[in-house]
Amino acid sequence: MEVSANTPAVVTGGASGLGAATAQALAAKGAKVAIFDMNEEKGEALAAELGGTFCKVNVTSEEEVDAGFAKAREAHGQERILVNCAGIGNAMKTASRDKTDGSIKHFPLSAFDFVIQVNLVGTFRCIAKSAAGMLTLEPLSDEGDRGAIVNTASVAAEDGQMGQAAYSASKGGVVGMTLPIARDLMREGIRVNTILPGIFNTPLMNAAPPQVKEALAASVPFPKRLGYPEEYARLAMTMIETGYFNGEDVRLDGAIRMAPR
């Protein structure tokens, strides 16, 4: 599907990082981009810069997601593109001993559930609602192409580190549902793909001390650096615009394989 002038698109987590880079790449091709995010200041500023629309959305909220899609569609029309970048992470061992007093604790189930609700259920919520909207559209070609969806997982879906049980489970779920969803939507001309990013130079990573970033960069086989958000955006655009790209989960990681810790 070619991205051209006025193609409606929605990017979740679009106010910064991977989502912002993707929103910029879409807008550069003329797409009308709606940014779903919880950061109003950054989201409003980027939407104004791109000539798009900001929608304050928490992907764990049914009501906010519905309101976000309604606002985006009123401004730009029914989206043909959805890119899911909204997500969170945490780190805690499944069970462990306190180093000072030897007391035993386990991963709080409420914290585990929260990560699943944002990264997995939130992603599926946006996919399901966007796909239902895309079903109302006329095909763009004789092949029946109606739209494209790109999701964000992580290399932690395949080689999660210590403390990443919740994060890895959530991202593994995104990988696991990609092919079934692509098959669910195959007769409707909606393609679904997922990117598994490695270590990227996002605002969250920028907060880390320089020595930490240098050590992480050195762990990447080649090139020995953190990934650029623009590289994620280029792969997302390839998935959107290449009609034979469907049902795939693709690592974008400089060949890194994460160590246990």
Side-chain angles (χ1 to χ4, degrees):
M1 180 180 69
E2 182 181 356
V3 179
S4 57
N6 300 319
T7 301
V10 170
V11 180
T12 76
S16 63
L18 306 181
T22 304
Q24 291 166 333
L26 286 162
K29 288 239 176 173
K32 292 298 183 182
V33 183
I35 294 169
F36 286 15
D37 207 287
M38 295 180 65
N39 190 320
E40 289 184 84
E41 183 179 355
K42 288 186 177 180
E44 291 280 11
L46 183 58
E49 175 188 327
L50 302 181
T53 299
F54 173 72
C55 308
K56 186 176 182 181
V57 172
N58 179 340
V59 296
T60 69
S61 167
E62 192 93 4
E63 294 75 17
E64 289 190 22
V65 170
D66 284 341
F69 277 119
K71 180 178 179 181
R73 291 164 184 171
E74 182 179 358
H76 305 148
Q78 167 61 49
E79 72 278 357
R80 288 192 181 270
I81 297 165
L82 170 68
V83 182
N84 284 305
C85 292
I88 60 167
N90 61 15
M92 188 178 298
K93 288 184 179 180
T94 303
S96 60
R97 299 179 189 274
D98 189 281
K99 292 181 179 179
T100 57
D101 62 12
S103 60
I104 296 172
K105 60 183 179 180
H106 66 76
F107 199 126
L109 296 186
S110 59
F112 187 96
D113 182 66
F114 183 58
V115 174
I116 297 296
Q117 289 299 319
V118 175
N119 293 354
L120 179 55
V121 180
T123 295
F124 183 75
R125 177 177 287 115
C126 293
I127 293 171
K129 292 178 181 293
S130 184
M134 290 180 191
L135 262 61
T136 68
L137 296 169
E138 289 298 315
L140 290 170
S141 68
D142 292 341
E143 293 182 340
D145 192 12
R146 282 191 171 87
I149 296 170
V150 176
N151 306 309
T152 307
S154 166
V155 294
E158 297 180 345
D159 36 74
Q161 296 181 294
M162 292 170 58
Q164 288 189 326
Y167 185 69
S168 294
S170 69
K171 295 302 189 177
V174 174
V175 170
M177 71 183 180
T178 300
L179 182 58
I181 295 173
R183 288 171 166 172
D184 284 346
L185 301 175
M186 63 184 183
R187 289 187 176 85
E188 302 294 346
I190 301 169
R191 294 179 294 106
V192 183
N193 294 287
T194 293
I195 299 173
L196 287 70
I199 308 170
F200 271 70
N201 194 23
T202 61
L204 181 63
M205 186 59 66
N206 283 336
Q211 62 271 24
V212 172
K213 292 201 292 184
E214 289 170 9
L216 289 170
S219 70
V220 180
F222 185 80
K224 287 192 172 297
R225 60 169 173 81
L226 306 184
Y228 301 134
E230 294 78 12
E231 292 174 309
Y232 172 98
R234 284 198 291 273
L235 180 53
M237 294 298 292
T238 297
M239 289 178 166
I240 290 164
E241 295 195 304
T242 305
Y244 211 55
F245 218 137
N246 194 19
E248 291 297 330
D249 303 288
V250 180
R251 291 178 68 123
L252 184 63
D253 59 14
I256 198 169
R257 296 299 180 265
M258 305 300 287
R261 66 171 73 192

